Each structure stands twice: as structure tokens, then as C-alpha cells.
Amino acid sequence: MGTKELEALVAVLQQQLAEGRAGHVLGTWTIHYDKDRSAFTFDKCEDGVYCEERPAVISLDRRVLDPGGPIGGYPPEPTASA
């Protein structure tokens, strides 16, 4: 990573904390930079083996591309009651 990417990482972390959305990055074991997507991946796999959640993915411009979440996918859609 270069200076631009490191500065963006600091901005992403500051924004997450300031907006109370630390949940996207809270519990992270490793942070990877994906050059192809220009995004950071906040991996929540302990020791790279045991995973309970998909990693959160946040772009250099601080957009949340994937908030992360349960490995089984997104939470089910609410059903309408009859």
C-alpha cells in the first residue's frame, strides 16, 4: 500500500468510529487491501481459519460495499403477517 491507501484507511476507521458504525470493523482480525476493487477488507476470521462472518468491505472513498455479516448470507427478509 502507498500513502494514498494508508491515508484512506485512517479516514475509513475514523469515519466508522465517528458515525457509530464501528460494527463494520469491530471484531476484525486482519485488514487487507484489494487493489482490484480499491477497497479494504476487514476480515473477521480468527487465525484465518474460523469464520462466523463475511468480511466487511469498504472502498477508498469510504463507501461500504459489503457490511459483512453471517456466513450463511444476508438476514432473511421480513415476512408480511396475514
Side-chain angles (χ1 to χ4, degrees):
M1 277 192 286
T3 303
K4 178 179 91 171
E5 292 82 9
L6 289 173
E7 289 172 346
L9 177 58
V10 169
V12 164
L13 293 173
Q14 289 175 333
Q15 179 186 29
Q16 290 289 302
L17 292 172
E19 293 183 9
R21 294 191 325 216
H24 293 309
V25 299
L26 195 62
T28 297
W29 286 85
T30 57
I31 300 170
H32 296 277
Y33 175 65
D34 182 336
K35 184 177 179 181
D36 294 334
R37 294 197 288 179
S38 294
F40 299 102
T41 302
F42 295 87
D43 196 352
K44 298 176 182 180
C45 295
E46 186 174 349
D47 297 325
V49 179
Y50 177 74
C51 294
E52 289 187 9
E53 295 187 40
R54 293 186 331 276
V57 182
I58 302 176
S59 69
L60 287 180
D61 64 3
R62 294 176 248 157
R63 286 179 300 123
V64 177
L65 303 178
D66 184 342
I71 290 291
Y74 292 98
E77 293 290 325
T79 57
S81 55

